[in-house]
Amino acid sequence: MSRFSSLAKLLTVASCLVCVHTLAQAQMPQQQPQAKSFKLGSLDIVALHDAQFVQPNDSKIFGLDHSPAEVAALLSAAGAPTDTVTLSVDALLVRSGKHIVLIDTGVGGALQGSLEKAGVKPDQIDEILLTHTHPDHIGGLVIDGKLAFPNATIRMSEAEWKFAKTNEKIAPIVKLITNKVKTFTPGGSVAPGITSVSLPGHTPGHVGYRITSGKERLFDIGDTVHSSIISLAKPDWAVSFDGDKPEAEANRSKTLSSLVKSHELIFAPHFPFPGVGYIQAEGDHFKWDPTEKAD
Ligand SMILES: [Zn+2]
């Protein structure tokens, strides 16, 4: 199966999984590999681009209880097109001691090309950490019916693996990875310098990963947020992707508030590539401060 048809198939799966009006309707610009390297203490980190989703602004994903005009006003204020909402799909690579750790694997778009740009071969990755099991985070685990990262242990929370096994839409992926999966209870160390953090609401076992080296920290907050514009301007607006919407909204507001206080560097896999920056307070809501970390 070609990479393109593989991607199209995964997008169809994704559309069934998250919402009828989602990824399958997205316009798909050509997926370009990108890799952005930077240092975190003594660790080498690389943000990896996988895909770009351009979704119609029709109140079926963002602002479920609001009109497209209200969403358009937020997009317009941020200088973005008002008829679409664009989400990047990215992953994060951490070289930690002798381990090469990949956090999330994209939908099966340009990730392999992005890894090549970073000088990493798929069989060198020995640890994969999943924030959750939606197809835009686990789609890259399998290519042409085979494990894309044959030497990697695949870690996720216990609750997320339980959820994944009940989800028929991802059954082919679950079957292929079963022997590679190891689960954890959120809150502890999952790899050298990396701790899992429960971030509830998006899926039953959704977690983030906090990477620490010396005094420096980077927090991959997974799908706590989706749009760098809407999720921050209106964290209390329902998003179709969130499984438990009230819990996700509460977690989003709480996490964003604590990130303003801690001024902690974050990675958000759906923010504009490379998705690395800071959350700032703005009035009664938040705004994105993308930071350009140099190589
Ligand atoms: Zn996602």
Side-chain angles (χ1 to χ4, degrees), residues 38 40 92 209-210 217-222 224-225 232 255-256 259-260 262-269 271 274-279 287-291:
F38 58 95
L40 184 82
L92 199 64
Y209 293 102
R210 182 170 273 126
R217 298 202 302 189
L218 172 67
F219 191 8
D220 182 337
I221 62 170
T224 299
V225 287
L232 301 190
T255 302
L256 291 172
L259 289 170
V260 169
S262 66
H263 198 63
E264 189 172 356
L265 189 66
I266 69 157
F267 171 76
F271 279 13
V276 178
Y278 298 93
I279 301 294
K287 71 171 183 184
W288 181 228
D289 171 19
T291 188

PDB file of all heavy atoms in Angstrom, residues 38 40 92 209-210 217-222 224-225 232 255-256 259-260 262-269 271 274-279 287-291:
ATOM      1  N   PHE A  38      16.717  20.928  19.200  1.00  0.00           N
ATOM      2  CA  PHE A  38      17.167  21.883  20.213  1.00  0.00           C
ATOM      3  C   PHE A  38      17.628  21.121  21.442  1.00  0.00           C
ATOM      4  O   PHE A  38      17.369  19.927  21.586  1.00  0.00           O
ATOM      5  CB  PHE A  38      16.056  22.895  20.568  1.00  0.00           C
ATOM      6  CG  PHE A  38      14.777  22.289  21.081  1.00  0.00           C
ATOM      7  CD1 PHE A  38      14.550  22.170  22.446  1.00  0.00           C
ATOM      8  CD2 PHE A  38      13.792  21.856  20.207  1.00  0.00           C
ATOM      9  CE1 PHE A  38      13.363  21.629  22.921  1.00  0.00           C
ATOM     10  CE2 PHE A  38      12.608  21.314  20.671  1.00  0.00           C
ATOM     11  CZ  PHE A  38      12.392  21.198  22.037  1.00  0.00           C
ATOM     12  N   LEU A  40      17.792  20.557  25.576  1.00  0.00           N
ATOM     13  CA  LEU A  40      17.108  20.772  26.857  1.00  0.00           C
ATOM     14  C   LEU A  40      18.080  20.237  27.905  1.00  0.00           C
ATOM     15  O   LEU A  40      18.219  19.021  28.055  1.00  0.00           O
ATOM     16  CB  LEU A  40      15.783  20.007  26.892  1.00  0.00           C
ATOM     17  CG  LEU A  40      14.951  20.250  28.151  1.00  0.00           C
ATOM     18  CD1 LEU A  40      14.153  21.544  28.026  1.00  0.00           C
ATOM     19  CD2 LEU A  40      14.000  19.085  28.412  1.00  0.00           C
ATOM     20  N   LEU A  92       7.521  14.074  19.039  1.00  0.00           N
ATOM     21  CA  LEU A  92       8.708  14.587  19.727  1.00  0.00           C
ATOM     22  C   LEU A  92       9.704  13.452  19.922  1.00  0.00           C
ATOM     23  O   LEU A  92       9.322  12.352  20.349  1.00  0.00           O
ATOM     24  CB  LEU A  92       8.278  15.143  21.088  1.00  0.00           C
ATOM     25  CG  LEU A  92       9.213  16.118  21.794  1.00  0.00           C
ATOM     26  CD1 LEU A  92       9.379  17.404  20.986  1.00  0.00           C
ATOM     27  CD2 LEU A  92       8.642  16.472  23.170  1.00  0.00           C
ATOM     28  N   TYR A 209       3.825  14.093  29.097  1.00  0.00           N
ATOM     29  CA  TYR A 209       5.148  13.631  29.519  1.00  0.00           C
ATOM     30  C   TYR A 209       6.019  14.840  29.840  1.00  0.00           C
ATOM     31  O   TYR A 209       6.178  15.745  29.008  1.00  0.00           O
ATOM     32  CB  TYR A 209       5.812  12.797  28.419  1.00  0.00           C
ATOM     33  CG  TYR A 209       5.080  11.488  28.192  1.00  0.00           C
ATOM     34  CD1 TYR A 209       4.221  11.332  27.104  1.00  0.00           C
ATOM     35  CD2 TYR A 209       5.216  10.425  29.087  1.00  0.00           C
ATOM     36  CE1 TYR A 209       3.524  10.133  26.902  1.00  0.00           C
ATOM     37  CE2 TYR A 209       4.534   9.235  28.892  1.00  0.00           C
ATOM     38  CZ  TYR A 209       3.689   9.095  27.801  1.00  0.00           C
ATOM     39  OH  TYR A 209       3.012   7.922  27.622  1.00  0.00           O
ATOM     40  N   ARG A 210       6.579  14.835  31.068  1.00  0.00           N
ATOM     41  CA  ARG A 210       7.470  15.920  31.496  1.00  0.00           C
ATOM     42  C   ARG A 210       8.906  15.426  31.375  1.00  0.00           C
ATOM     43  O   ARG A 210       9.282  14.414  31.964  1.00  0.00           O
ATOM     44  CB  ARG A 210       7.145  16.328  32.927  1.00  0.00           C
ATOM     45  CG  ARG A 210       8.003  17.482  33.404  1.00  0.00           C
ATOM     46  CD  ARG A 210       7.516  18.045  34.725  1.00  0.00           C
ATOM     47  NE  ARG A 210       6.489  19.067  34.552  1.00  0.00           N
ATOM     48  CZ  ARG A 210       5.302  19.049  35.126  1.00  0.00           C
ATOM     49  NH1 ARG A 210       4.946  18.059  35.890  1.00  0.00           N
ATOM     50  NH2 ARG A 210       4.449  20.037  34.932  1.00  0.00           N
ATOM     51  N   ARG A 217      13.123  22.055  31.828  1.00  0.00           N
ATOM     52  CA  ARG A 217      11.995  21.136  31.683  1.00  0.00           C
ATOM     53  C   ARG A 217      11.238  21.427  30.392  1.00  0.00           C
ATOM     54  O   ARG A 217      11.159  22.560  29.939  1.00  0.00           O
ATOM     55  CB  ARG A 217      11.020  21.303  32.859  1.00  0.00           C
ATOM     56  CG  ARG A 217      11.634  20.975  34.206  1.00  0.00           C
ATOM     57  CD  ARG A 217      10.605  20.619  35.239  1.00  0.00           C
ATOM     58  NE  ARG A 217       9.617  21.667  35.462  1.00  0.00           N
ATOM     59  CZ  ARG A 217       8.723  21.632  36.440  1.00  0.00           C
ATOM     60  NH1 ARG A 217       8.689  20.605  37.274  1.00  0.00           N
ATOM     61  NH2 ARG A 217       7.854  22.604  36.599  1.00  0.00           N
ATOM     62  N   LEU A 218      10.669  20.380  29.855  1.00  0.00           N
ATOM     63  CA  LEU A 218       9.782  20.508  28.690  1.00  0.00           C
ATOM     64  C   LEU A 218       8.612  19.568  28.940  1.00  0.00           C
ATOM     65  O   LEU A 218       8.810  18.396  29.268  1.00  0.00           O
ATOM     66  CB  LEU A 218      10.521  20.106  27.408  1.00  0.00           C
ATOM     67  CG  LEU A 218       9.680  20.012  26.133  1.00  0.00           C
ATOM     68  CD1 LEU A 218       9.166  21.391  25.715  1.00  0.00           C
ATOM     69  CD2 LEU A 218      10.507  19.409  24.993  1.00  0.00           C
ATOM     70  N   PHE A 219       7.398  20.073  28.793  1.00  0.00           N
ATOM     71  CA  PHE A 219       6.204  19.290  29.099  1.00  0.00           C
ATOM     72  C   PHE A 219       5.410  19.076  27.809  1.00  0.00           C
ATOM     73  O   PHE A 219       4.885  20.034  27.240  1.00  0.00           O
ATOM     74  CB  PHE A 219       5.383  20.067  30.141  1.00  0.00           C
ATOM     75  CG  PHE A 219       4.244  19.305  30.773  1.00  0.00           C
ATOM     76  CD1 PHE A 219       4.058  17.947  30.567  1.00  0.00           C
ATOM     77  CD2 PHE A 219       3.351  19.975  31.600  1.00  0.00           C
ATOM     78  CE1 PHE A 219       3.009  17.260  31.173  1.00  0.00           C
ATOM     79  CE2 PHE A 219       2.300  19.307  32.211  1.00  0.00           C
ATOM     80  CZ  PHE A 219       2.129  17.945  31.982  1.00  0.00           C
ATOM     81  N   ASP A 220       5.372  17.834  27.334  1.00  0.00           N
ATOM     82  CA  ASP A 220       4.519  17.471  26.192  1.00  0.00           C
ATOM     83  C   ASP A 220       3.113  17.273  26.740  1.00  0.00           C
ATOM     84  O   ASP A 220       2.852  16.288  27.439  1.00  0.00           O
ATOM     85  CB  ASP A 220       5.055  16.186  25.542  1.00  0.00           C
ATOM     86  CG  ASP A 220       4.238  15.760  24.315  1.00  0.00           C
ATOM     87  OD1 ASP A 220       3.054  16.151  24.206  1.00  0.00           O
ATOM     88  OD2 ASP A 220       4.787  15.006  23.490  1.00  0.00           O
ATOM     89  N   ILE A 221       2.210  18.221  26.432  1.00  0.00           N
ATOM     90  CA  ILE A 221       0.884  18.184  27.056  1.00  0.00           C
ATOM     91  C   ILE A 221      -0.159  17.463  26.195  1.00  0.00           C
ATOM     92  O   ILE A 221      -1.347  17.483  26.511  1.00  0.00           O
ATOM     93  CB  ILE A 221       0.380  19.593  27.455  1.00  0.00           C
ATOM     94  CG1 ILE A 221       0.224  20.511  26.231  1.00  0.00           C
ATOM     95  CG2 ILE A 221       1.338  20.228  28.454  1.00  0.00           C
ATOM     96  CD1 ILE A 221      -0.492  21.830  26.560  1.00  0.00           C
ATOM     97  N   GLY A 222       0.318  16.788  25.131  1.00  0.00           N
ATOM     98  CA  GLY A 222      -0.590  15.968  24.331  1.00  0.00           C
ATOM     99  C   GLY A 222      -1.783  16.769  23.845  1.00  0.00           C
ATOM    100  O   GLY A 222      -1.661  17.925  23.443  1.00  0.00           O
ATOM    101  N   THR A 224      -4.283  18.021  25.460  1.00  0.00           N
ATOM    102  CA  THR A 224      -4.937  18.928  26.408  1.00  0.00           C
ATOM    103  C   THR A 224      -5.464  20.138  25.639  1.00  0.00           C
ATOM    104  O   THR A 224      -6.495  20.716  25.971  1.00  0.00           O
ATOM    105  CB  THR A 224      -3.925  19.385  27.485  1.00  0.00           C
ATOM    106  OG1 THR A 224      -3.464  18.225  28.184  1.00  0.00           O
ATOM    107  CG2 THR A 224      -4.545  20.368  28.460  1.00  0.00           C
ATOM    108  N   VAL A 225      -4.718  20.540  24.599  1.00  0.00           N
ATOM    109  CA  VAL A 225      -5.115  21.641  23.720  1.00  0.00           C
ATOM    110  C   VAL A 225      -5.004  21.164  22.273  1.00  0.00           C
ATOM    111  O   VAL A 225      -4.257  20.230  21.985  1.00  0.00           O
ATOM    112  CB  VAL A 225      -4.188  22.864  23.924  1.00  0.00           C
ATOM    113  CG1 VAL A 225      -4.482  23.544  25.251  1.00  0.00           C
ATOM    114  CG2 VAL A 225      -2.718  22.455  23.859  1.00  0.00           C
ATOM    115  N   LEU A 232      -6.800  28.252  23.490  1.00  0.00           N
ATOM    116  CA  LEU A 232      -6.257  29.176  24.484  1.00  0.00           C
ATOM    117  C   LEU A 232      -7.189  30.359  24.739  1.00  0.00           C
ATOM    118  O   LEU A 232      -7.290  30.845  25.858  1.00  0.00           O
ATOM    119  CB  LEU A 232      -4.876  29.679  24.052  1.00  0.00           C
ATOM    120  CG  LEU A 232      -3.815  28.590  23.844  1.00  0.00           C
ATOM    121  CD1 LEU A 232      -2.446  29.218  23.672  1.00  0.00           C
ATOM    122  CD2 LEU A 232      -3.785  27.593  24.987  1.00  0.00           C
ATOM    123  N   THR A 255      -4.662  23.102  33.700  1.00  0.00           N
ATOM    124  CA  THR A 255      -3.289  22.898  33.208  1.00  0.00           C
ATOM    125  C   THR A 255      -2.719  24.198  32.657  1.00  0.00           C
ATOM    126  O   THR A 255      -1.570  24.558  32.931  1.00  0.00           O
ATOM    127  CB  THR A 255      -3.271  21.795  32.122  1.00  0.00           C
ATOM    128  OG1 THR A 255      -3.808  20.602  32.680  1.00  0.00           O
ATOM    129  CG2 THR A 255      -1.862  21.523  31.617  1.00  0.00           C
ATOM    130  N   LEU A 256      -3.535  24.935  31.872  1.00  0.00           N
ATOM    131  CA  LEU A 256      -3.041  26.187  31.286  1.00  0.00           C
ATOM    132  C   LEU A 256      -2.706  27.197  32.384  1.00  0.00           C
ATOM    133  O   LEU A 256      -1.673  27.873  32.313  1.00  0.00           O
ATOM    134  CB  LEU A 256      -4.089  26.759  30.318  1.00  0.00           C
ATOM    135  CG  LEU A 256      -4.295  25.928  29.036  1.00  0.00           C
ATOM    136  CD1 LEU A 256      -5.491  26.451  28.242  1.00  0.00           C
ATOM    137  CD2 LEU A 256      -3.041  25.924  28.167  1.00  0.00           C
ATOM    138  N   LEU A 259       0.524  26.281  33.922  1.00  0.00           N
ATOM    139  CA  LEU A 259       1.661  26.523  33.012  1.00  0.00           C
ATOM    140  C   LEU A 259       2.026  28.004  32.955  1.00  0.00           C
ATOM    141  O   LEU A 259       3.185  28.355  32.729  1.00  0.00           O
ATOM    142  CB  LEU A 259       1.330  26.003  31.603  1.00  0.00           C
ATOM    143  CG  LEU A 259       1.292  24.478  31.478  1.00  0.00           C
ATOM    144  CD1 LEU A 259       0.728  24.060  30.127  1.00  0.00           C
ATOM    145  CD2 LEU A 259       2.683  23.880  31.682  1.00  0.00           C
ATOM    146  N   VAL A 260       1.041  28.886  33.134  1.00  0.00           N
ATOM    147  CA  VAL A 260       1.336  30.323  33.207  1.00  0.00           C
ATOM    148  C   VAL A 260       2.179  30.589  34.452  1.00  0.00           C
ATOM    149  O   VAL A 260       3.193  31.283  34.394  1.00  0.00           O
ATOM    150  CB  VAL A 260       0.037  31.155  33.243  1.00  0.00           C
ATOM    151  CG1 VAL A 260       0.329  32.610  33.597  1.00  0.00           C
ATOM    152  CG2 VAL A 260      -0.689  31.069  31.904  1.00  0.00           C
ATOM    153  N   SER A 262       4.039  28.446  36.248  1.00  0.00           N
ATOM    154  CA  SER A 262       5.356  27.787  36.256  1.00  0.00           C
ATOM    155  C   SER A 262       6.261  28.290  35.133  1.00  0.00           C
ATOM    156  O   SER A 262       7.458  28.061  35.149  1.00  0.00           O
ATOM    157  CB  SER A 262       5.184  26.271  36.125  1.00  0.00           C
ATOM    158  OG  SER A 262       4.637  25.940  34.855  1.00  0.00           O
ATOM    159  N   HIS A 263       5.674  28.981  34.150  1.00  0.00           N
ATOM    160  CA  HIS A 263       6.407  29.442  32.958  1.00  0.00           C
ATOM    161  C   HIS A 263       7.273  28.306  32.400  1.00  0.00           C
ATOM    162  O   HIS A 263       8.465  28.455  32.156  1.00  0.00           O
ATOM    163  CB  HIS A 263       7.261  30.664  33.263  1.00  0.00           C
ATOM    164  CG  HIS A 263       7.659  31.407  32.014  1.00  0.00           C
ATOM    165  ND1 HIS A 263       6.750  32.000  31.169  1.00  0.00           N
ATOM    166  CD2 HIS A 263       8.872  31.627  31.434  1.00  0.00           C
ATOM    167  CE1 HIS A 263       7.377  32.549  30.149  1.00  0.00           C
ATOM    168  NE2 HIS A 263       8.668  32.330  30.277  1.00  0.00           N
ATOM    169  N   GLU A 264       6.620  27.169  32.251  1.00  0.00           N
ATOM    170  CA  GLU A 264       7.307  25.948  31.808  1.00  0.00           C
ATOM    171  C   GLU A 264       7.222  25.832  30.279  1.00  0.00           C
ATOM    172  O   GLU A 264       6.167  26.091  29.693  1.00  0.00           O
ATOM    173  CB  GLU A 264       6.580  24.768  32.469  1.00  0.00           C
ATOM    174  CG  GLU A 264       7.246  23.445  32.305  1.00  0.00           C
ATOM    175  CD  GLU A 264       6.545  22.384  33.166  1.00  0.00           C
ATOM    176  OE1 GLU A 264       5.611  22.724  33.924  1.00  0.00           O
ATOM    177  OE2 GLU A 264       6.942  21.219  33.055  1.00  0.00           O
ATOM    178  N   LEU A 265       8.335  25.468  29.676  1.00  0.00           N
ATOM    179  CA  LEU A 265       8.346  25.243  28.224  1.00  0.00           C
ATOM    180  C   LEU A 265       7.466  24.036  27.907  1.00  0.00           C
ATOM    181  O   LEU A 265       7.561  23.010  28.574  1.00  0.00           O
ATOM    182  CB  LEU A 265       9.786  24.986  27.768  1.00  0.00           C
ATOM    183  CG  LEU A 265      10.051  24.947  26.268  1.00  0.00           C
ATOM    184  CD1 LEU A 265       9.807  26.310  25.622  1.00  0.00           C
ATOM    185  CD2 LEU A 265      11.482  24.478  26.000  1.00  0.00           C
ATOM    186  N   ILE A 266       6.610  24.180  26.890  1.00  0.00           N
ATOM    187  CA  ILE A 266       5.752  23.043  26.537  1.00  0.00           C
ATOM    188  C   ILE A 266       5.916  22.664  25.057  1.00  0.00           C
ATOM    189  O   ILE A 266       6.410  23.446  24.243  1.00  0.00           O
ATOM    190  CB  ILE A 266       4.244  23.308  26.811  1.00  0.00           C
ATOM    191  CG1 ILE A 266       3.666  24.356  25.837  1.00  0.00           C
ATOM    192  CG2 ILE A 266       4.007  23.715  28.248  1.00  0.00           C
ATOM    193  CD1 ILE A 266       2.166  24.247  25.669  1.00  0.00           C
ATOM    194  N   PHE A 267       5.467  21.439  24.773  1.00  0.00           N
ATOM    195  CA  PHE A 267       5.302  20.972  23.398  1.00  0.00           C
ATOM    196  C   PHE A 267       3.846  20.580  23.249  1.00  0.00           C
ATOM    197  O   PHE A 267       3.320  19.805  24.056  1.00  0.00           O
ATOM    198  CB  PHE A 267       6.208  19.760  23.118  1.00  0.00           C
ATOM    199  CG  PHE A 267       5.942  19.100  21.791  1.00  0.00           C
ATOM    200  CD1 PHE A 267       6.383  19.684  20.602  1.00  0.00           C
ATOM    201  CD2 PHE A 267       5.246  17.899  21.716  1.00  0.00           C
ATOM    202  CE1 PHE A 267       6.131  19.078  19.370  1.00  0.00           C
ATOM    203  CE2 PHE A 267       4.997  17.289  20.485  1.00  0.00           C
ATOM    204  CZ  PHE A 267       5.441  17.874  19.317  1.00  0.00           C
ATOM    205  N   ALA A 268       3.185  21.144  22.242  1.00  0.00           N
ATOM    206  CA  ALA A 268       1.786  20.798  21.971  1.00  0.00           C
ATOM    207  C   ALA A 268       1.713  20.228  20.554  1.00  0.00           C
ATOM    208  O   ALA A 268       1.977  20.942  19.582  1.00  0.00           O
ATOM    209  CB  ALA A 268       0.900  22.036  22.099  1.00  0.00           C
ATOM    210  N   PRO A 269       1.404  18.933  20.413  1.00  0.00           N
ATOM    211  CA  PRO A 269       1.537  18.281  19.110  1.00  0.00           C
ATOM    212  C   PRO A 269       0.642  18.819  17.996  1.00  0.00           C
ATOM    213  O   PRO A 269       0.910  18.570  16.828  1.00  0.00           O
ATOM    214  CB  PRO A 269       1.201  16.807  19.400  1.00  0.00           C
ATOM    215  CG  PRO A 269       0.629  16.758  20.766  1.00  0.00           C
ATOM    216  CD  PRO A 269       1.068  17.990  21.491  1.00  0.00           C
ATOM    217  N   PHE A 271      -0.173  22.265  17.817  1.00  0.00           N
ATOM    218  CA  PHE A 271       0.088  23.687  17.599  1.00  0.00           C
ATOM    219  C   PHE A 271       0.995  23.829  16.365  1.00  0.00           C
ATOM    220  O   PHE A 271       1.605  22.853  15.924  1.00  0.00           O
ATOM    221  CB  PHE A 271       0.766  24.292  18.835  1.00  0.00           C
ATOM    222  CG  PHE A 271      -0.192  24.657  19.951  1.00  0.00           C
ATOM    223  CD1 PHE A 271      -1.507  24.212  19.945  1.00  0.00           C
ATOM    224  CD2 PHE A 271       0.226  25.454  21.001  1.00  0.00           C
ATOM    225  CE1 PHE A 271      -2.396  24.552  20.973  1.00  0.00           C
ATOM    226  CE2 PHE A 271      -0.647  25.806  22.029  1.00  0.00           C
ATOM    227  CZ  PHE A 271      -1.955  25.355  22.017  1.00  0.00           C
ATOM    228  N   PRO A 274       7.155  24.196  15.224  1.00  0.00           N
ATOM    229  CA  PRO A 274       7.442  22.950  15.949  1.00  0.00           C
ATOM    230  C   PRO A 274       6.632  22.758  17.234  1.00  0.00           C
ATOM    231  O   PRO A 274       6.871  21.783  17.940  1.00  0.00           O
ATOM    232  CB  PRO A 274       8.935  23.091  16.280  1.00  0.00           C
ATOM    233  CG  PRO A 274       9.154  24.566  16.402  1.00  0.00           C
ATOM    234  CD  PRO A 274       8.208  25.221  15.433  1.00  0.00           C
ATOM    235  N   GLY A 275       5.705  23.641  17.528  1.00  0.00           N
ATOM    236  CA  GLY A 275       4.806  23.423  18.681  1.00  0.00           C
ATOM    237  C   GLY A 275       5.469  23.576  20.034  1.00  0.00           C
ATOM    238  O   GLY A 275       4.985  23.045  21.032  1.00  0.00           O
ATOM    239  N   VAL A 276       6.588  24.304  20.057  1.00  0.00           N
ATOM    240  CA  VAL A 276       7.333  24.492  21.311  1.00  0.00           C
ATOM    241  C   VAL A 276       7.207  25.954  21.742  1.00  0.00           C
ATOM    242  O   VAL A 276       7.404  26.858  20.922  1.00  0.00           O
ATOM    243  CB  VAL A 276       8.827  24.132  21.109  1.00  0.00           C
ATOM    244  CG1 VAL A 276       9.623  24.381  22.383  1.00  0.00           C
ATOM    245  CG2 VAL A 276       8.964  22.681  20.673  1.00  0.00           C
ATOM    246  N   GLY A 277       6.869  26.187  23.000  1.00  0.00           N
ATOM    247  CA  GLY A 277       6.731  27.564  23.465  1.00  0.00           C
ATOM    248  C   GLY A 277       6.156  27.642  24.861  1.00  0.00           C
ATOM    249  O   GLY A 277       6.208  26.667  25.628  1.00  0.00           O
ATOM    250  N   TYR A 278       5.607  28.817  25.154  1.00  0.00           N
ATOM    251  CA  TYR A 278       5.087  29.077  26.503  1.00  0.00           C
ATOM    252  C   TYR A 278       3.623  29.508  26.433  1.00  0.00           C
ATOM    253  O   TYR A 278       3.194  30.132  25.456  1.00  0.00           O
ATOM    254  CB  TYR A 278       5.894  30.199  27.165  1.00  0.00           C
ATOM    255  CG  TYR A 278       7.357  29.858  27.360  1.00  0.00           C
ATOM    256  CD1 TYR A 278       8.301  30.216  26.408  1.00  0.00           C
ATOM    257  CD2 TYR A 278       7.765  29.148  28.483  1.00  0.00           C
ATOM    258  CE1 TYR A 278       9.647  29.882  26.581  1.00  0.00           C
ATOM    259  CE2 TYR A 278       9.100  28.821  28.659  1.00  0.00           C
ATOM    260  CZ  TYR A 278      10.037  29.187  27.707  1.00  0.00           C
ATOM    261  OH  TYR A 278      11.351  28.850  27.875  1.00  0.00           O
ATOM    262  N   ILE A 279       2.901  29.197  27.499  1.00  0.00           N
ATOM    263  CA  ILE A 279       1.531  29.683  27.661  1.00  0.00           C
ATOM    264  C   ILE A 279       1.593  30.977  28.468  1.00  0.00           C
ATOM    265  O   ILE A 279       2.224  31.016  29.529  1.00  0.00           O
ATOM    266  CB  ILE A 279       0.656  28.650  28.410  1.00  0.00           C
ATOM    267  CG1 ILE A 279       0.618  27.304  27.660  1.00  0.00           C
ATOM    268  CG2 ILE A 279      -0.753  29.204  28.631  1.00  0.00           C
ATOM    269  CD1 ILE A 279      -0.064  27.332  26.318  1.00  0.00           C
ATOM    270  N   LYS A 287      -2.746  32.968  25.867  1.00  0.00           N
ATOM    271  CA  LYS A 287      -2.254  33.086  24.480  1.00  0.00           C
ATOM    272  C   LYS A 287      -0.943  32.318  24.329  1.00  0.00           C
ATOM    273  O   LYS A 287      -0.267  32.015  25.315  1.00  0.00           O
ATOM    274  CB  LYS A 287      -2.128  34.532  24.049  1.00  0.00           C
ATOM    275  CG  LYS A 287      -0.999  35.286  24.700  1.00  0.00           C
ATOM    276  CD  LYS A 287      -0.846  36.657  24.021  1.00  0.00           C
ATOM    277  CE  LYS A 287       0.341  37.376  24.640  1.00  0.00           C
ATOM    278  NZ  LYS A 287       0.510  38.725  24.127  1.00  0.00           N
ATOM    279  N   TRP A 288      -0.612  32.025  23.080  1.00  0.00           N
ATOM    280  CA  TRP A 288       0.543  31.201  22.740  1.00  0.00           C
ATOM    281  C   TRP A 288       1.756  32.085  22.495  1.00  0.00           C
ATOM    282  O   TRP A 288       1.673  33.073  21.762  1.00  0.00           O
ATOM    283  CB  TRP A 288       0.218  30.379  21.501  1.00  0.00           C
ATOM    284  CG  TRP A 288       1.276  29.442  20.982  1.00  0.00           C
ATOM    285  CD1 TRP A 288       1.689  29.323  19.691  1.00  0.00           C
ATOM    286  CD2 TRP A 288       1.998  28.444  21.728  1.00  0.00           C
ATOM    287  NE1 TRP A 288       2.629  28.319  19.586  1.00  0.00           N
ATOM    288  CE2 TRP A 288       2.837  27.763  20.818  1.00  0.00           C
ATOM    289  CE3 TRP A 288       2.018  28.056  23.068  1.00  0.00           C
ATOM    290  CZ2 TRP A 288       3.685  26.734  21.207  1.00  0.00           C
ATOM    291  CZ3 TRP A 288       2.872  27.022  23.455  1.00  0.00           C
ATOM    292  CH2 TRP A 288       3.686  26.377  22.523  1.00  0.00           C
ATOM    293  N   ASP A 289       2.862  31.714  23.102  1.00  0.00           N
ATOM    294  CA  ASP A 289       4.125  32.388  22.868  1.00  0.00           C
ATOM    295  C   ASP A 289       5.103  31.364  22.299  1.00  0.00           C
ATOM    296  O   ASP A 289       5.802  30.692  23.045  1.00  0.00           O
ATOM    297  CB  ASP A 289       4.650  32.977  24.195  1.00  0.00           C
ATOM    298  CG  ASP A 289       6.064  33.513  24.066  1.00  0.00           C
ATOM    299  OD1 ASP A 289       6.503  33.775  22.921  1.00  0.00           O
ATOM    300  OD2 ASP A 289       6.745  33.667  25.095  1.00  0.00           O
ATOM    301  N   PRO A 290       5.121  31.212  20.968  1.00  0.00           N
ATOM    302  CA  PRO A 290       6.038  30.221  20.386  1.00  0.00           C
ATOM    303  C   PRO A 290       7.468  30.705  20.556  1.00  0.00           C
ATOM    304  O   PRO A 290       7.754  31.872  20.343  1.00  0.00           O
ATOM    305  CB  PRO A 290       5.639  30.187  18.904  1.00  0.00           C
ATOM    306  CG  PRO A 290       4.963  31.483  18.640  1.00  0.00           C
ATOM    307  CD  PRO A 290       4.391  31.976  19.945  1.00  0.00           C
ATOM    308  N   THR A 291       8.300  29.829  20.962  1.00  0.00           N
ATOM    309  CA  THR A 291       9.694  30.217  21.151  1.00  0.00           C
ATOM    310  C   THR A 291      10.533  29.477  20.144  1.00  0.00           C
ATOM    311  O   THR A 291      10.309  28.318  19.865  1.00  0.00           O
ATOM    312  CB  THR A 291      10.152  29.927  22.584  1.00  0.00           C
ATOM    313  OG1 THR A 291      11.427  30.490  22.770  1.00  0.00           O
ATOM    314  CG2 THR A 291      10.231  28.448  22.889  1.00  0.00           C
TER     315      THR A 291
END
